């Protein structure tokens, strides 16, 4: 059974830090691109950060560049998102995503999400 289990969300003050973690099982983790997305009330789900299957390249939303860092550890089947200098507008449910293209077909998996709240 495919599983993406997330942890690390919570309440933090503006300017603080959180580290999200996602542990994957049930598929060949090292062959998938991994990413974090977030969804806030009244907004579309947006890509926050992505890391390639090899770990050689990363992509970030403009709103988080310089503050967030994505990383992966294939030996542990994990992907993490280090979030620093958090702002109230970062408050959202954060989702872990695994994605792979097989010719014209996409295979992807999603976690259940973890809540991040940035507030005084």
């Amino acid at each position: 059974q495919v599983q993406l289990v997330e942890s690390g969300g919570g309440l933090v003050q503006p300017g603080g830090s959180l580290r999200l973690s996602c542990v994957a099982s049930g598929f060949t983790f090292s062959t998938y691109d991994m990413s974090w997305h977030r969804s806030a009330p009244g907004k579309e789900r947006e890509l926050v950060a992505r890391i390639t299957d090899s770990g050689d390249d990363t992509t970030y939303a403009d709103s988080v560049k310089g503050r967030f860092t994505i990383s992966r550890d294939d030996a542990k089947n994990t992907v993490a998102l280090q979030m620093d200098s958090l702002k109230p507008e970062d408050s959202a449910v954060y989702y872990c995503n695994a994605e792979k293209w097989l010719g014209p077909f996409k295979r992807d998996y999603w976690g259940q999400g973890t809540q991040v709240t940035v507030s005084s």
Side-chain angles (χ1 to χ4, degrees):
Q1 181 180 356
V2 171
Q3 289 187 319
L4 296 173
V5 182
E6 304 166 3
S7 62
L11 175 65
V12 66
Q13 293 185 338
S17 298
L18 284 174
R19 183 178 184 272
L20 306 183
S21 181
C22 173
V23 181
S25 62
F27 63 98
T28 308
F29 179 83
S30 62
T31 67
Y32 282 71
D33 291 349
M34 300 299 298
S35 63
W36 290 92
H37 299 243
R38 67 187 181 188
S39 180
K43 297 181 179 180
E44 295 183 350
R45 181 175 297 190
E46 65 172 339
L47 172 68
V48 177
R50 173 176 283 134
I51 186 167
T52 58
D53 54 356
S54 65
D56 290 340
D57 195 22
T58 56
T59 301
Y60 297 93
D62 288 342
S63 59
V64 308
K65 286 181 179 177
R67 299 189 297 118
F68 290 11
T69 304
I70 189 170
S71 61
R72 68 188 297 157
D73 186 344
D74 287 354
K76 298 180 178 180
N77 284 5
T78 61
V79 60
L81 184 68
Q82 178 66 42
M83 304 185 294
D84 299 320
S85 302
L86 284 162
K87 305 174 181 179
E89 51 263 44
D90 294 320
S91 297
V93 177
Y94 284 71
Y95 298 90
C96 178
N97 169 252
E99 184 177 76
K100 182 179 181 179
W101 284 93
L102 303 173
F105 305 104
K106 184 175 75 174
R107 177 178 293 172
D108 66 339
Y109 307 110
W110 292 87
Q112 293 298 116
T114 184
Q115 177 70 51
V116 172
T117 303
V118 184
S119 176
S120 298

